[in-house]
Amino acid sequence: MEDIPFMSGGLPRFPESMWRQTTPLPNFGKLNEDIETDVAVVGAGITGITTAYLLTQAGVKVAILEAGQILDGTTGYTTAKITAQHGLVYDKLISHFGEEGARLYFEANEEALRWVAETVKERKIDCQFRQEDAYLYADSNDQLNKLEAEWRAYERLGLPAEWRDSLDLPLQAKGAVVMKNQAQFHPLHYLTELLAYVTSHGGIVYEHTTLQDAAEPEPDGRLRLTSEDGHRIVCRHAVSASHYPFFDGKGLFFTRLHAERSYVVAIEPEKEYPGGMYINSGSPTRSLRSAELNGKQVVLVGGESHKTGKNDCTIQSYETLEKFGRETLGIRSIPFRWSAQDLVTLDGVPYIGRITSNHPNIYVATGFYKWGMTSSALSALMIRDLILEKENRYVELFTPSRFKADPSIKHFVTQNADVAKEFVTGKLEIVHLKPEDLVPGQGGVVKHQGKRAGAYRDEEGLLYLVDTTCTHMGCEVKWNEAERSWDCPCHGSRFDFKGGVIEGPATEALPRLHRQPEQAKS
């Protein structure tokens, strides 16, 4: 990585995922014909690939359809902890789902963790899989009170955990709860093996294939999906594993999910790392875990979460994590930095199962709230059982059709009021910057021909102009400096500087305001 340009402080100039950089990935063609299959899995991240793997093992014919490239979504940009320790969660779960529901949540995630561990062992997958203890620590007196309430919830539920008054790391810990024998791994090394099994046993993968928001019934009871190019996919079951559901089915998911971004800095530490996976119980979030890179140990320093489109200086998030890493472990070098986007449900529990009662053969898995490595395995196991008509005791807890009055109603009103506010303020924003004001490497909202527009001038001086109105529901996107992207603060859609879709729910690009990028005037 010696040729990567660096910013001040040693941060790489551009974001790049360590997982993707260290994993050769296969390429697959675009769907260019009508096909028939038993199950269409929409999305080639960890949920889609794991679901396809389980169904293929069961002798089911599977086709995976990916709008972009495989493993280029959240899965390729995770911190990759596999754990049932999901922050301050069990005390809240008891309040909203009762002790039985909270215990089921733990058991579901523990079962998913065991399945991943068994799969790695059974298939002899070389993916840096390692059992580690997961620590949740309080970094202030206020957070200590909440952590103590969480510990009481652990005791009520009989969860396998211990209380610690201090940590081996030089962190400002007032106390900690440790859940033993959790795990971490290299997610893409793991998934390429599962994908190889799928493709070698009859599964088919299509990249660069976006589907229309429609699922029509065939006369024989099967489903008909249609790509944007008009090609038909006829199947008995469809699985939405596309992070944001490709098909809403009147489930109103865009009103019941919000998107959050978080950041990671991979550091080569000066001090010895004692092992374990750490996350604080306060805000801003701080997360630590180790990994291996070219035979050396690195530590992934994560956190700085915020709602997508709600941070005007995203590069500062990386700088803050760098500072935390330097103060905690010292830094020899920073080979990588990257960010990820996660969807959050109204009550913090993922939506997994039949998308609505009116569409019993369409399934969804979304809203993993930063814990997708475990939730994805859980989702795949549940959806496999639903498709094969096997009993699964977690169906009711995770059903996407639930709508809890407390706290969901409060969150529903607040979340959608926030969307309405963003819609109005984006339209009324006064813009003073002009395209010619931008220097190479700079982007932002500008006034172009008297109207609001998005502009980015690349390192060669070429100017890219796009319409800033999100193609999902008409909110105004904002410039993300650290990722060189246009982010929508309403529902989390993201676009590259040329206007292309990075993440949904949007499926259409931002319109370009001129066909060719313009050269800077001398």
Side-chain angles (χ1 to χ4, degrees):
M1 302 303 298
E2 291 81 11
D3 58 340
I4 290 182
F6 290 89
M7 302 170 59
S8 59
L11 283 168
R13 186 171 183 184
F14 298 120
E16 185 177 29
S17 162
M18 182 178 77
W19 310 128
R20 285 187 57 81
Q21 179 64 22
T22 56
T23 310
L25 294 173
N27 295 313
F28 299 94
K30 183 177 182 179
L31 179 66
N32 57 14
E33 60 182 350
D34 295 347
I35 62 169
E36 294 187 8
T37 188
D38 292 332
V39 180
V41 177
V42 183
I46 188 169
T47 304
I49 291 174
T50 307
T51 302
Y53 172 78
L54 285 167
L55 290 171
T56 301
Q57 280 190 318
V60 177
K61 184 180 179 182
V62 175
I64 302 176
L65 304 126
E66 168 58 47
Q69 295 176 289
I70 62 168
L71 298 170
D72 196 29
T74 300
T75 300
Y77 298 84
T78 176
T79 52
K81 299 177 180 178
I82 319 167
T83 177
Q85 165 52 277
H86 295 172
L88 295 172
V89 63
Y90 290 103
D91 186 46
K92 294 177 184 176
L93 287 171
I94 290 174
S95 298
H96 305 309
F97 293 88
E99 287 190 20
E100 183 180 353
R103 193 173 291 107
L104 268 178
Y105 181 93
F106 168 77
E107 291 171 357
N109 282 280
E110 271 290 291
E111 185 176 316
L113 169 57
R114 286 196 304 272
W115 182 85
V116 173
E118 290 166 2
T119 301
V120 170
K121 183 178 180 180
E122 175 190 330
R123 303 208 62 82
K124 298 181 175 60
I125 302 175
D126 183 9
C127 61
Q128 299 181 28
F129 182 90
R130 195 166 70 194
Q131 285 195 321
E132 294 280 1
D133 295 340
Y135 294 81
L136 175 66
Y137 69 93
D139 49 15
S140 68
N141 289 328
D142 178 59
Q143 289 303 318
L144 180 60
N145 293 332
K146 295 178 181 178
L147 186 63
E148 288 172 340
E150 183 74 359
W151 172 242
R152 289 192 291 272
Y154 273 56
E155 291 183 309
R156 286 173 65 182
L157 297 173
L159 302 188
E162 300 173 359
W163 178 270
R164 297 282 179 86
D165 291 319
S166 61
L167 298 175
D168 293 333
L169 278 169
L171 298 169
Q172 298 297 318
K174 305 286 184 177
V177 174
V178 53
M179 188 174 284
K180 308 290 283 186
N181 299 320
Q182 304 301 288
Q184 62 186 37
F185 67 164
H186 188 308
L188 301 200
H189 287 176
Y190 165 76
L191 288 166
T192 51
E193 290 296 321
L194 299 194
L195 187 61
Y197 179 91
V198 172
T199 56
S200 65
H201 288 76
I204 305 173
V205 182
Y206 299 97
E207 293 182 313
H208 308 293
T209 301
T210 302
L211 298 188
Q212 297 178 10
D213 181 10
E216 304 296 335
E218 289 281 284
D220 61 1
R222 292 186 297 173
L223 287 168
R224 183 178 72 252
L225 311 180
T226 307
S227 74
E228 285 193 339
D229 294 335
H231 298 298
R232 296 182 176 185
I233 304 98
V234 176
C235 56
R236 298 191 181 280
H237 303 273
V239 179
S240 178
S242 53
H243 195 51
Y244 210 101
F246 84 94
F247 173 68
D248 189 80
K250 297 184 179 179
L252 300 177
F253 286 93
F254 67 91
T255 68
R256 299 194 288 137
L257 291 163
H258 76 265
E260 291 192 3
R261 294 204 69 72
S262 55
Y263 302 82
V264 180
V265 173
I267 67 170
E268 183 186 351
E270 291 179 341
K271 301 175 184 176
E272 183 178 353
Y273 186 74
M277 306 183 301
Y278 301 81
I279 189 167
N280 65 333
S281 58
S283 181
T285 307
R286 295 290 178 266
S287 166
L288 295 168
R289 63 148 287 191
S290 61
E292 184 181 312
L293 176 64
N294 299 327
K296 294 182 179 180
Q297 184 186 65
V298 294
V299 175
L300 308 187
V301 183
E304 288 293 294
S305 301
H306 63 84
K307 285 188 72 173
T308 299
K310 291 288 193 177
N311 188 338
D312 292 331
C313 186
T314 48
I315 196 65
Q316 192 174 60
S317 298
Y318 288 111
E319 292 171 343
T320 302
L321 292 177
E322 179 208 355
K323 180 182 178 183
F324 175 77
R326 198 174 296 280
E327 292 173 348
T328 305
L329 294 165
I331 296 178
R332 296 183 189 278
S333 66
I334 306 176
F336 293 96
R337 68 173 175 94
W338 67 88
S339 69
Q341 182 150 304
D342 293 276
L343 294 177
V344 185
T345 68
L346 293 174
D347 53 26
V349 174
Y351 298 137
I352 307 168
R354 291 185 172 90
I355 194 163
T356 66
S357 58
N358 294 328
H359 300 281
N361 52 348
I362 303 178
Y363 312 85
V364 68
T366 188
F368 295 164
Y369 201 3
K370 303 179 179 65
W371 302 106
M373 298 299 98
T374 324
S375 298
S376 59
L378 166 62
S379 300
L381 291 164
M382 285 180 59
I383 291 171
R384 176 204 59 184
D385 288 350
L386 288 168
I387 289 174
L388 299 181
E389 298 182 349
K390 293 182 177 181
E391 178 132 4
N392 189 295
R393 64 197 183 103
Y394 307 124
V395 169
E396 184 177 353
L397 176 64
F398 292 95
T399 180
S401 59
R402 72 181 185 275
F403 195 85
K404 294 283 184 179
D406 182 18
S408 297
I409 292 293
K410 176 184 175 183
H411 288 178
F412 179 84
V413 172
T414 302
Q415 182 169 305
N416 287 285
D418 185 56
V419 168
K421 177 184 175 183
E422 287 293 342
F423 184 89
V424 173
T425 55
K427 302 296 182 186
L428 298 179
E429 179 185 7
I430 298 174
V431 179
H432 299 289
L433 200 65
K434 298 177 182 178
E436 53 266 31
D437 296 332
L438 299 179
V439 299
Q442 183 183 8
V445 176
V446 299
K447 183 172 284 188
H448 172 67
Q449 296 180 350
K451 296 181 180 179
R452 189 183 199 271
Y456 173 74
R457 192 176 298 283
D458 70 13
E459 300 301 324
E460 284 70 45
L462 297 178
L463 180 70
Y464 296 83
L465 281 169
V466 298
D467 189 324
T468 57
T469 302
C470 180
T471 55
H472 174 230
M473 293 189 70
C475 291
E476 295 300 312
V477 298
K478 297 184 178 181
W479 178 245
N480 179 337
E481 178 188 5
E483 316 300 323
R484 295 186 300 166
S485 63
W486 294 103
D487 298 355
C488 179
C490 291
H491 300 110
S493 296
R494 297 182 62 238
F495 308 83
D496 63 28
F497 62 80
K498 298 178 182 179
V501 176
I502 299 175
E503 299 194 59
T507 58
E508 296 180 16
L510 297 175
R512 292 277 288 273
L513 297 183
H514 52 71
R515 291 189 178 182
Q516 297 294 331
E518 298 176 355
Q519 182 70 46
K521 296 178 181 179
S522 57

